[in-house]
Amino acid sequence: MASADLAGGGGSEADSSLFVPGDGCASATPKDYQPLLESDSSSASAAAVPISLEELERKYAPYVRRDAYGVMGRGQLPATEKVMLGIAAVTLVPIRVVAGVLILVLYYLICRICTLFSPPSRENGQEDYAHMTGWRREVVVRCGRFASRAMLFTFGFYWIKETRRSLDNEVNEFEKPGAVVSNHVSHLDILYHMSSAFPSFVAKRSVAKLPLVGLISKCLGCVYVQREAKLPDFKGVSGIVTERIQKAHKDYQFPMMLLFPEGTTTNGDYLLPFKSGAFLAKAPVVPVILRYPYGRFSPAWDSISGVRHVCLLLCQFVNHLEVIHLPVYYPSDQEKEDPKLYAINVRKLMATEGNLTLSDIGLAEKRIYHAVLNGNSLPRVLREKDD
């Protein structure tokens, strides 16, 4: 649903001689605000340069998996691990799949009942039920939060450690925030935020047409990404999101927006540059930091295919999630006039409070890294990076 880049397909593990564009890697201490990794987007068309596996992992550190299953989830496993996976595959996985489907179907039926005789809003090329109020909204929200938490329980997140922090310079204001701003680690992030605040979020247009999930996403009030040609009165996703944030800020009953300003997922140890779209509305935001501690399998969705990720996740008997809720961030007058400054300051705060390393690489570098892992042609990936 959210903007997450997947590593798909086959391909062998990267060997000791790999080819990626660019040469070299800048470093900095984790506690500094200087980024550990510098972006190579400007040199993406440069000639390929051979580097070692260690250099590759250092260069694309935010996307490197370091669990027992290897970079792409295809690593060599000891016999005991294979036996545990086999047992879980024939016992635990079927139970979880059936339970998950039942939860999804039940919540879909609740949404179907609540939307009967209530036409969706169709403003700006969107179709949703964000405007829904009264008992309908109450039932959809309460049942949605319960269903999301039940789904996380089904995935093995039996306990979630939540910490709510207060800052020394916290401003005592009472304005309602317009958006939840979170780092992006896994597709599970959305389930947690649904169980916590039940916000709206940005989704692909195709999500609205999916069985079961489509209606649920409309009840969430998702903003669907438009890829077709713009009409003269078309505001674009950024304009719609800004309006939604402003309305949520002013209207207590209207759902907040959930935004992942990094634009893609990482392994959970880094924080990528923030896009300024979440901060154009000049409204307060709630920063939330997600961490997924792991022993054998990392729930992070970075360089592993979606199907393999879900299968290995279901085979884990227990998964862990830690959440840090920061106080509402009220922008200064200067930040309201400069969304980039607003984004930079929120990012620095989240990096400090979450002990995350700042990195300057982004989605383009992630696609290059995935191309190398999958043995794909770099020129083709570079042509696709702006799609």
Side-chain angles (χ1 to χ4, degrees):
M1 292 183 185
S3 174
D5 185 43
L6 314 183
S12 58
E13 289 286 347
D15 57 23
S16 60
S17 179
L18 299 169
F19 293 83
V20 297
D23 55 355
C25 162
S27 62
T29 57
K31 293 183 180 179
D32 291 340
Y33 285 145
Q34 281 296 109
L36 175 66
L37 305 172
E38 298 295 340
S39 175
D40 280 341
S41 297
S42 60
S43 60
S45 59
V49 178
I51 64 174
S52 67
L53 177 61
E54 290 75 18
E55 289 176 304
L56 180 76
E57 292 187 349
R58 185 168 61 252
K59 191 178 187 68
Y60 301 108
Y63 312 122
V64 178
R65 295 186 66 84
R66 303 187 185 279
D67 62 9
Y69 292 84
V71 175
M72 298 178 68
R74 302 170 182 268
Q76 293 295 325
L77 300 176
T80 53
E81 188 73 18
K82 292 180 179 179
V83 170
M84 292 176 63
L85 280 176
I87 295 174
V90 298
T91 57
L92 192 60
V93 173
I95 295 174
R96 285 179 166 175
V97 169
V98 171
V101 171
L102 288 176
I103 293 170
L104 183 63
V105 170
L106 179 60
Y107 185 54
Y108 166 81
L109 293 175
I110 292 173
C111 290
R112 176 59 67 189
I113 293 171
C114 290
T115 55
L116 284 175
F117 311 112
S118 178
S121 170
R122 291 188 172 88
E123 295 181 2
N124 302 315
Q126 303 291 315
E127 182 177 320
D128 61 71
Y129 291 93
H131 66 288
M132 190 164 49
T133 58
W135 68 268
R136 297 173 187 268
R137 166 58 57 181
E138 190 73 12
V139 172
V140 165
V141 171
R142 288 184 178 273
C143 292
R145 294 181 64 177
F146 178 82
S148 302
R149 184 62 186 93
M151 191 70 78
L152 284 172
F153 188 91
T154 300
F155 275 96
F157 293 90
Y158 309 122
W159 305 276
I160 296 177
K161 181 181 178 182
E162 295 183 285
T163 304
R164 299 185 183 274
R165 293 187 181 174
S166 59
L167 305 177
D168 294 336
N169 60 344
E170 183 176 349
V171 180
N172 186 21
E173 297 191 39
F174 299 97
E175 295 182 76
K176 180 198 171 189
V180 176
V181 174
S182 173
N183 63 322
H184 201 8
V185 184
S186 174
H187 53 82
L188 300 162
D189 300 349
I190 292 176
L191 278 178
Y192 170 74
H193 287 295
M194 285 177 64
S195 70
S196 175
F198 205 75
S200 304
F201 54 89
V202 179
K204 294 180 181 179
R205 169 64 64 182
S206 57
V207 171
K209 300 178 181 179
L210 292 175
L212 305 180
V213 175
L215 178 62
I216 294 174
S217 69
K218 293 176 184 178
C219 288
L220 278 161
C222 287
V223 174
Y224 300 109
V225 175
Q226 290 274 13
R227 293 185 180 272
E228 49 266 43
K230 295 183 179 180
L231 299 174
D233 60 344
F234 182 65
K235 299 179 180 179
V237 174
S238 179
I240 297 173
V241 168
T242 299
E243 283 189 357
R244 289 284 189 88
I245 294 175
Q246 291 173 339
K247 188 169 183 179
H249 172 50
K250 297 175 182 177
D251 186 350
Y252 182 80
Q253 294 186 331
F254 199 80
M256 291 190 295
M257 287 295 301
L258 164 64
L259 296 169
F260 300 108
E262 294 171 284
T264 188
T265 54
T266 68
N267 58 17
D269 296 325
Y270 294 80
L271 205 58
L272 305 180
F274 280 8
K275 301 181 186 302
S276 59
F279 308 94
L280 294 173
K282 305 179 182 181
V285 298
V286 182
V288 178
I289 304 164
L290 305 180
R291 301 294 296 265
Y292 293 85
Y294 62 90
R296 294 160 47 226
F297 176 75
S298 169
W301 198 9
D302 30 43
S303 59
I304 183 173
S305 69
V307 174
R308 182 177 294 273
H309 184 275
V310 172
C311 290
L312 292 176
L313 184 71
L314 290 173
C315 287
Q316 285 271 102
F317 182 71
V318 179
N319 290 294
H320 301 278
L321 172 58
E322 295 179 355
V323 184
I324 300 175
H325 294 265
L326 298 182
V328 176
Y329 190 103
Y330 297 94
S332 64
D333 291 337
Q334 185 179 5
E335 288 171 329
K336 289 180 180 179
E337 297 304 318
D338 188 351
K340 289 185 178 180
L341 176 65
Y342 189 3
I344 289 171
N345 290 341
V346 172
R347 180 178 177 238
K348 286 181 178 179
L349 174 65
M350 291 176 65
T352 301
E353 295 299 317
N355 194 26
L356 302 173
T357 302
L358 294 175
S359 168
D360 265 357
I361 67 175
L363 181 57
E365 287 82 2
K366 183 176 186 177
R367 287 175 173 169
I368 293 171
Y369 176 59
H370 287 180
V372 175
L373 293 180
N374 288 293
N376 293 334
S377 167
L378 281 178
R380 177 171 63 84
V381 175
L382 294 176
R383 286 196 302 270
E384 292 175 352
K385 73 178 182 179
D386 295 325
D387 289 353

